[in-house]
């Protein structure tokens, strides 16, 4: 059994304009110790998927259908108190902008201590020592001193390291990282990804890595789920996804990754059009209006997410997959 199983998840936001199905039938699983990337353009439903898993949807957002099991327990059936226990203790999380999750008026060491004491009955001094040790583990130099810093005294990269320290201090089995490097410059981005990769090995923890950037996926992930307009459209081991993408949307994403050898005078390829508004998707494949291969059937009928013939470990939601023999 996988550590996390998300099955046919539907998450809705009732709005004045109608019910927004931000997530519309997402299925994937994460194994123990695995790094699974969830990738897709902005507006695909990645963050709402993460918030649904963590029980952090803001009213009136709610899970309308589907199941989320973690370590054999159905998360959507847990009470708020039980869910609070799961968060932080068993599932750690980090976000794009650490400044919004760190409290500006408390020293970073105290914030990590607070995270420890929420879940464990240990002394303040012991908790402080553990906080400092964790800051060392995530690569903060002179952690004894930096633990006394306020968040604004640190760089963006250092703050993200603090967030990681805080997320991991209770040794969760799963880390959910929503665009953890998007706000950082490229060099720091690579360092943070490398850190996540090393911590996965050190703690044998699973990581759900959410990103709009397939370049990030190729660096660290074992497997990837490609999301489009609230749905899973392709799932595959990363190496295979890069070598032989089957969904036309995945191909488009791959072509949009900047490459070093690119002539800078050439404009970067981008898939034409944008992710449709969830209120405006029709009955067919949501990618049909941007797809070069779309046929009539694609506009009227939604393909099911199915195993790729001859490649049972991969799945795809497309009537006319590429490079499938
Ligand atoms: N609170 C909300 N109310 C209404 N619609 C929302 C809300 N949050 C997200 N959405 C919609 O859900 C869709 C998916 O959003 P999101 O999960 O944030 O995308 P991503 O993280 O992939 O960029 C978007 O169309 C967004 O507008
Ligand atoms: Mg997001």
């Amino acid at each position: 059994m996988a550590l996390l199983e998300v099955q046919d998840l539907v998450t809705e936001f009732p709005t004045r304009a109608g019910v927004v199905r931000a997530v519309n039938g997402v299925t994937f699983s994460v194994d123990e110790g695995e790094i699974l990337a969830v990738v897709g353009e902005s507006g695909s439903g990645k963050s709402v998927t993460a918030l649904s898993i963590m029980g952090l949807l803001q009213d009136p957002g709610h899970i309308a259908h589907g199941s989320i099991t973690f370590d054999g327990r159905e998360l959507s059936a847990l009470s708020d108190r039980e869910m609070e226990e799961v968060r932080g203790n068993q599932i750690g999380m980090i976000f794009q902008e650490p400044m919004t999750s760190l409290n500006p008026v408390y020293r970073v060491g105290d914030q990590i201590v607070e995270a420890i004491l929420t879940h464990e009955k240990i002394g303040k001094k012991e908790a402080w020592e553990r906080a400092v040790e964790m800051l060392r583990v995530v690569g903060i130099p002179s952690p004894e001193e930096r633990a006394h810093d306020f968040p604004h005294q640190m760089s963006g990269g250092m703050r993200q390291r603090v967030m990681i320290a805080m997320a991991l201090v209770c040794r969760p089995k799963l880390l959910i990282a929503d665009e953890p490097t998007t706000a950082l410059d490229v060099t720091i981005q690579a360092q943070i990804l490398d850190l996540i990769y090393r911590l996965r090995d050190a703690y044998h923890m699973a990581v759900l890595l959410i990103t709009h950037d397939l370049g990030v996926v190729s660096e660290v992930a074992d497997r990837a789920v490609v999301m489009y307009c609230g749905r899973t459209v392709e799932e595959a081991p990363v190496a295979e996804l890069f070598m032989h993408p089957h969904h036309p949307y995945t191909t488009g994403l791959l072509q949009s990754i900047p490459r070093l050898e690119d002539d800078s005078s050439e404009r970067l390829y981008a898939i034409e059009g944008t992710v449709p508004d969830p209120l405006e998707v029709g009955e067919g494949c949501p990618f049909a209006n941007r797809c070069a291969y779309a046929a009539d059937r694609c506009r009227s009928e939604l393909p099911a997410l199915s195993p790729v013939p001859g490649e049972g470990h991969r799945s795809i939601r497309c009537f006319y997959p590429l490079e499938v023999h």
Side-chain angles (χ1 to χ4, degrees), residues 169-188:
V169 79
C170 290
R171 299 285 179 96
K173 290 183 177 171
L174 173 69
L175 174 71
I176 297 182
D178 190 353
E179 308 269 6
T181 61
T182 302
L184 305 171
D185 71 49
V186 205
T187 325
I188 311 295

Side-chain angles (χ1 to χ4, degrees), residues 100-177:
T100 57
S101 333
L102 288 170
N103 192 323
V105 303
Y106 292 108
R107 299 176 194 279
V108 296
D110 286 332
Q111 298 191 49
I112 300 174
V113 164
E114 185 70 27
I116 298 170
L117 296 182
T118 312
H119 296 288
E120 285 178 54
K121 306 244 169 310
I122 59 170
K124 270 236 168 91
K125 184 159 176 288
E126 195 185 339
W128 179 267
E129 278 160 13
R130 223 159 94 195
V132 170
E133 183 48 36
M134 204 63 215
L135 290 174
R136 189 189 319 280
V137 167
V138 299
I140 293 191
S142 324
E144 299 86 352
E145 289 145 45
R146 300 312 298 269
H148 295 280
D149 281 1
F150 291 97
H152 72 264
Q153 293 173 287
M154 300 183 128
S155 66
M158 284 297 151
R159 281 199 292 262
Q160 194 54 288
R161 285 175 195 266
V162 170
M163 283 308 299
I164 294 172
M166 202 175 329
L168 299 191
V169 79
C170 290
R171 299 285 179 96
K173 290 183 177 171
L174 173 69
L175 174 71
I176 297 182

Side-chain angles (χ1 to χ4, degrees), residues 176-220:
I176 297 182
D178 190 353
E179 308 269 6
T181 61
T182 302
L184 305 171
D185 71 49
V186 205
T187 325
I188 311 295
Q189 206 172 60
Q191 291 172 4
I192 296 291
L193 289 175
D194 180 59
L195 174 65
I196 291 174
Y197 192 82
R198 285 189 296 107
L199 290 172
R200 181 273 298 262
D201 282 346
Y203 295 136
H204 194 65
M205 103 194 139
V207 182
L208 183 64
L209 178 67
I210 294 176
T211 177
H212 67 281
D213 181 354
L214 260 180
V216 164
V217 173
S218 69
E219 299 278 328
V220 290

Side-chain angles (χ1 to χ4, degrees), residues 11-14 57-63:
T11 302
E12 295 180 340
F13 294 93
L57 290 168
Q58 301 282 355
D59 256 354
H62 63 275
I63 294 173

Side-chain angles (χ1 to χ4, degrees), residues 13 15 20 22 40-49 178 210 276-278:
F13 294 93
T15 67
V20 175
E41 286 163 291
S42 175
S44 306
K46 307 182 296 297
S47 293
V48 173
T49 299
D178 190 353
I210 294 176
D277 185 320

Side-chain angles (χ1 to χ4, degrees), residues 10-66:
V10 177
T11 302
E12 295 180 340
F13 294 93
T15 67
R16 244 173 249 160
V19 175
V20 175
R21 285 203 157 178
V23 175
N24 197 355
V26 162
T27 297
F28 62 82
S29 64
V30 189
D31 286 328
E32 269 179 41
E34 178 183 43
I35 302 187
L36 178 80
V38 172
V39 62
E41 286 163 291
S42 175
S44 306
K46 307 182 296 297
S47 293
V48 173
T49 299
L51 294 171
S52 304
I53 295 169
M54 297 182 300
L56 289 176
L57 290 168
Q58 301 282 355
D59 256 354
H62 63 275
I63 294 173
H65 181 82

